[in-house]
Amino acid sequence: MTVVGPFGLSVRDQALEADVQAGLAAVEEGLLDATKSEVPFITGAAQHLVRAGGKRFRPLLVMLAAQFGDPYAPGVVPSAVVVELTHLATLYHDDVMDEAEVRRGVDSANTRWGNAVAVLTGDFLFARASHILADLGPEAVRIQAEAFERLVTGQILETAGPRDGRDPVEHYLDVLGGKTGSLVAVACRFGAMMSGADETVVDVLTQYGERLGVAFQLADDVLDIASDSHESGKTPGTDLREGIPTLPVLRLRERAERLGQPEDVALCELLDSDLTDDARHAEALARLRVHPALEQARRDTVRYAEDARSALAPLPECGAKAALVEMCDAVVHRAG
């Protein structure tokens, strides 16, 4: 048994492992090349998160999806670079919006250089992704543009909140479909499409990616509450401090409204207070970590991961399919 990619994903097929490892190495070179500038300062800022590492979750999905066609097709690696550059760009912007201090175990770009540089560096990465994308053809440009529109729409809807009468949990899950699921779906779609896989296979893998992406973000929500910075690579409770209503908090509020238990109502009141105060923030984290709402969020994560697994049913049995199934297990394990 060997290990490749995020979460200690095991790949038992030696040929598949060799293809995936070679592909990911080529993606890493592509990322470094795409983030070089004639201006050394821009290179340093653009490569800040590239060199910090990361799971390379989306490029790994591109490589696995490409196994259902020709994994050596010329568009596979560049499409993986495009997806990861887009993801990295959103991280620069997210950290500004969240005022995050740590990302991937290092100072966030906004902490090191300020908000203006962080935002502009994210824009630089979007520009470089677009440059590579242009060589992949108009269909790839259209797919990426649609996904990016969904991603931004999801972010805006998260900021705006649910409209009157809309269930906050349903609204949030729709937000995640756009904000996270869309780009993960594109990773799977690009891998299959660039490899020349059958259109039916492309559709199956796109559906799988969407569902896995939501499960992945739900696992992140759980980690934001349950983990320490060593496990997650970023400051725990960041979303909590900023008042971003992630799933554990939404499940808590749902329970408080339904049951009216004093301890739930009191915790909601604490969350509504000024959590920039370190003592209040620490208390809120500690209480959420032992609350049933966190376990409910874990169950939601498992449900989406199982939906992703079910989507793979039409695909032929092979090493790549087994690895994609294991990705579902890994996301669930990540959520504890």
Side-chain angles (χ1 to χ4, degrees):
M1 183 185 299
T2 53
V3 175
V4 64
F7 326 129
L9 178 67
S10 60
V11 175
R12 297 168 177 84
D13 182 321
Q14 289 187 347
L16 173 60
E17 184 206 358
D19 281 350
V20 170
Q21 292 282 23
L24 290 176
V27 169
E28 212 62 29
E29 290 181 12
L31 288 171
L32 289 173
D33 187 58
T35 49
K36 287 178 183 174
S37 167
E38 293 179 357
V39 181
F41 178 79
I42 295 176
T43 300
Q47 292 186 349
H48 179 61
L49 289 185
V50 174
R51 294 188 181 279
K55 293 172 286 294
R56 303 295 186 252
F57 176 55
R58 292 156 189 80
L60 175 59
L61 288 171
V62 174
M63 296 305 137
L64 290 174
Q67 292 291 320
F68 293 90
D70 175 10
Y72 313 112
V76 172
V77 169
S79 70
V81 173
V82 165
V83 173
E84 187 67 5
L85 282 175
T86 303
H87 171 60
L88 288 169
T90 65
L91 296 184
Y92 280 83
H93 288 179
D94 282 352
D95 285 346
V96 171
M97 293 176 65
D98 298 342
E99 299 180 10
E101 297 180 356
V102 178
R103 171 69 70 174
R104 296 184 173 177
V106 299
D107 288 345
S108 61
N110 46 296
T111 297
R112 181 168 294 191
W113 294 293
N115 287 344
V117 169
V119 169
L120 291 169
T121 302
D123 293 345
F124 176 81
L125 296 180
F126 283 132
R128 287 298 175 89
S130 297
H131 183 78
I132 298 168
L133 193 64
D135 293 332
L136 298 178
E139 179 68 3
V141 172
R142 182 186 64 79
I143 290 168
Q144 175 78 351
E146 288 175 354
F148 192 52
E149 180 183 346
R150 286 189 62 206
L151 191 158
V152 174
T153 299
Q155 186 69 65
I156 292 171
L157 289 176
E158 180 181 64
T159 303
R163 64 180 183 272
D164 290 344
R166 178 84 195 277
D167 177 65
V169 171
E170 288 183 6
H171 169 82
Y172 183 64
L173 292 173
D174 283 348
V175 164
L176 295 193
K179 183 180 160 185
T180 305
S182 60
L183 193 58
V184 178
V186 165
C188 294
R189 186 171 183 178
F190 274 171
M193 186 177 86
M194 295 299 168
S195 73
D198 183 82
E199 190 60 39
T200 303
V201 172
V202 175
D203 290 343
V204 165
L205 287 167
T206 302
Q207 292 176 35
Y208 162 84
E210 177 98 14
R211 297 171 191 179
L212 185 71
V214 173
F216 183 80
Q217 184 57 54
L218 292 179
D220 253 11
D221 287 358
V222 172
L223 277 173
D224 186 61
I225 303 299
S227 73
D228 58 30
S229 58
H230 175 72
E231 291 176 274
S232 63
K234 56 187 178 183
T235 305
T238 296
D239 292 333
L240 203 63
R241 191 184 293 274
E242 295 303 312
I244 298 171
T246 58
L247 194 62
V249 172
L250 292 173
R251 287 302 190 193
L252 165 67
R253 295 189 187 281
E254 179 183 64
R255 176 187 167 98
E257 184 175 339
R258 185 178 74 252
L259 301 178
Q261 294 181 353
E263 59 270 26
D264 293 344
V265 174
L267 181 50
C268 287
E269 290 174 353
L270 175 61
L271 294 178
D272 290 334
S273 69
D274 181 11
L275 293 185
T276 60
D277 178 85
D278 288 342
R280 284 198 195 99
H281 182 256
E283 182 186 354
L285 260 183
R287 290 170 65 178
L288 268 175
R289 282 171 174 166
V290 296
H291 195 279
L294 186 62
E295 184 55 38
Q296 177 63 56
R298 284 193 174 101
R299 290 196 295 270
D300 292 324
T301 304
V302 170
R303 176 165 58 87
Y304 269 89
E306 288 301 321
D307 286 348
R309 182 202 299 269
S310 297
L312 295 171
L315 297 182
E317 297 301 324
C318 61
K321 180 179 179 179
L324 292 172
V325 167
E326 192 166 340
M327 293 285 279
C328 301
D329 297 335
V331 167
V332 170
H333 176 74
R334 186 165 173 260

